[in-house]
Amino acid sequence: MTKGDKLLLAVLLLFSTLSTGLLYSRFSSFSRSSSALQAVISVHGDVVRTVSLPVATRTALTVQGRVGPSIVEIEGSRVRMREAPCPGRICINQGWVGQPGQSIVCMPGEILIRIEGASPLDGVTR
Amino acid sequence: MTRRTILPIAVLVLLGGLAWFQYSRRFQEYRSDQFLMDTLISITVYGKNQELLRTAVAAAYAEMRRIAELADGFPQPGTAAWRSSDICRINDQAGKAPVPVDDDTVAMLLQAQKYSRLSHGAFDVTVGPLMELWGFGGNNPHLPSPEQIRAALTLVNSEDMIVNKQDHTVFLRKAGMKLDLGAVAKGYATEKAASVLAQYGIDKALIDAGGNIRVIGRNSRNSPWKIGIKDPRTSDAIVAILPLVDTSAVTSADYYRAFEEQGKRYHHILDPRTGYSATHTISATVITKDAGLADILSTVFFVLPAEKSLELAATLPGVELFLVTADSRIRHSPTLSGTIEITRSDAYRYDEGR
């Protein structure tokens, strides 16, 4: 092998590993981005808090929604809306969620709490 | 160059080229969330053309928003939202005059009327006066007196809703009648959104309209979409898993808008024949292609007793049913055996095939 051959070989090797790596990273992002269980809280479409689950101690977070502060409670790997200023209470009635793909929605506050993570499920009816 | 070096080089070039080829035509996932129709609507689409995905999803939301505006029952009178709502204008002219409406309003109301008849009134789109009396549309639901319920019931009857397909008008015969599209519009809009996505050539999509699920094609792994049904009594659990392809699944359940008064629990799915919350079933899921039909039927089957629901479902082609009854039993259409996975047979009584 000449010096040129070696260079060519090195370039090709780099090219093929890079592109194969790219291929696999694309496939994995295609089949869901994050596999770690987490609760993602957003207000009016903007993510305001991301909490890795499970939490070691029971946690209460105050989230400023559009109609005032709501209190989100996290215990182990599950999350619920504990207090909300909205009169309908629909978000509180939704109870605890903990399965990836499950979510709690507060319409008046435009608060969305979604459980994300590797899931055997593509969606959940409710 | 010797033959010994050409071979590995050729293999590497081939590998690299293949990877680039795959990369250039890779699938993209595009997901969007919007608050609409009193809930959160999430649309996830897959395809190779990012721009097309974005355009298709925007068009699907626009279509849903249009239906939402037609069917909105709660804007303030006199506002623009009120004027663009066919339902508000029809309710306003109850007992007075027919109201010209959009084709989609005609389609929604005709479909609703059809299933009112089929269920002998277990579902009724003219349930508005009852919903208003209980206060389920607003913020402070409460138990009405039996006299109030009796009075409201005289205004609930789909046969007093005259839908004129030729003139595109709708007329409520009695003053005080009120349409409530709570069990109709979301499903109808979801189905319209699915057709919009299909028109853009999208062949892999999931629409989650506040828990009403409509899927197009198969999932990203090219398998049937795996859709869980929420356990009606343990909110962070899944009671069953359905594999779905090109169809919809809609659940009606009693845990959404509920309150307790005088030691009894009341919820927002009223039996239009009695005026009180339906009590036979706690969760009814309908699997059928048309999300609009699934929405209506999930309410029908929530209200009817389980036995009647299963009988009626068996007569409807392409309609499958999954029930959790008030006596903690799981029942489903026989056609679901073999595909459905029951994950909470420890919490509910489940005799397969029954």
Side-chain angles (χ1 to χ4, degrees), chain A residues 70 80-86 88-95 104-108 111, chain B residues 256:
Chain A
S70 295
R80 70 169 174 177
M81 192 72 90
R82 194 172 74 192
E83 284 171 40
C86 53
R89 307 260 146 199
I90 292 172
C91 51
I92 296 173
N93 286 341
Q94 286 172 70
I104 294 173
V105 179
C106 169
M107 273 308 292
I111 300 171
Chain B
Y256 258 93

Side-chain angles (χ1 to χ4, degrees), chain A residues 1-2 4-5 8-10 12-23 25-27 29-33 42-45 77-80 86-112 114 116 119-126, chain B residues 1-2 5 8-9 12-13 15-20 22-23 26-29 31 33 35-40 42 44 46 138-141 204 206 208-213 219-221 223-231 234-238 241-242 249-253 255-259 285:
Chain A
M1 253 203 276
T2 66
D5 285 349
L8 182 68
L9 199 67
L12 284 171
L13 197 69
L14 192 72
F15 171 68
S16 68
T17 18
L18 270 181
S19 44
T20 315
L22 217 57
L23 169 70
S25 74
R26 277 298 149 183
F27 268 143
S29 83
F30 179 49
S31 58
R32 291 281 164 226
S33 43
S42 54
V43 177
H44 193 58
S77 282
R78 48 185 212 157
V79 182
R80 70 169 174 177
C86 53
R89 307 260 146 199
I90 292 172
C91 51
I92 296 173
N93 286 341
Q94 286 172 70
W96 293 97
V97 296
Q99 303 274 344
Q102 279 196 315
S103 58
I104 294 173
V105 179
C106 169
M107 273 308 292
E110 294 200 19
I111 300 171
L112 166 65
R114 199 197 316 268
E116 291 186 353
S119 169
L121 298 180
D122 294 306
V124 178
T125 74
R126 54 180 196 270
Chain B
M1 249 192 255
T2 64
T5 50
I9 289 173
L12 289 176
V13 167
L15 255 177
L18 194 72
W20 270 116
Q22 288 289 348
Y23 177 69
R26 71 201 182 276
F27 268 103
Q28 303 264 355
E29 177 185 297
R31 181 197 171 110
D33 300 302
F35 287 94
L36 201 62
M37 304 188 100
D38 278 333
T39 191
L40 181 84
S42 303
T44 311
Y46 298 88
N139 295 325
N140 202 3
K204 262 187 204 313
L206 183 141
D208 179 346
N212 288 14
I213 304 279
N219 74 7
S220 60
R221 294 172 298 278
S223 309
W225 302 87
K226 285 185 96 175
I227 304 298
I229 299 171
K230 183 170 168 169
D231 184 326
T234 309
S235 60
D236 55 346
I238 302 295
I241 300 171
L242 296 161
V250 176
T251 300
S252 282
Y255 43 77
Y256 258 93
R257 295 167 204 231
F259 67 93
T285 302

Side-chain angles (χ1 to χ4, degrees), chain B residues 138-151:
Chain B
N139 295 325
N140 202 3
H142 58 276
L143 176 64
S145 72
E147 294 74 33
Q148 286 175 306
I149 287 182
R150 259 197 298 277

Side-chain angles (χ1 to χ4, degrees), chain B residues 232-281:
Chain B
R233 288 298 174 258
T234 309
S235 60
D236 55 346
I238 302 295
V239 66
I241 300 171
L242 296 161
L244 302 181
V245 178
D246 264 323
T247 189
S248 67
V250 176
T251 300
S252 282
D254 69 350
Y255 43 77
Y256 258 93
R257 295 167 204 231
F259 67 93
E260 260 181 49
E261 201 166 313
Q262 296 169 12
K264 257 194 98 174
R265 193 166 170 279
Y266 299 93
H267 62 82
H268 75 293
I269 307 178
L270 301 174
D271 185 335
R273 300 164 302 182
T274 66
Y276 288 90
S277 306
T279 53
H280 299 296
T281 292

Side-chain angles (χ1 to χ4, degrees), chain B residues 157-230:
Chain B
N157 186 355
S158 274
E159 297 308 318
D160 288 327
M161 171 178 76
I162 313 300
V163 183
N164 189 320
K165 224 175 154 178
Q166 280 73 45
D167 302 349
H168 303 271
T169 61
V170 179
F171 176 48
L172 301 177
R173 274 206 195 118
K174 294 181 186 166
M177 281 181 75
K178 244 177 202 304
L179 299 179
D180 182 314
L181 266 59
V184 180
K186 202 164 49 158
Y188 186 86
T190 304
E191 191 57 32
K192 291 290 264 191
S195 346
V196 169
L197 294 179
Q199 278 162 23
Y200 277 87
I202 306 287
D203 55 7
K204 262 187 204 313
L206 183 141
I207 306 173
D208 179 346
N212 288 14
I213 304 279
R214 174 70 163 90
V215 297
I216 297 177
R218 291 167 166 255
N219 74 7
S220 60
R221 294 172 298 278
N222 232 16
S223 309
W225 302 87
K226 285 185 96 175
I227 304 298
I229 299 171
K230 183 170 168 169

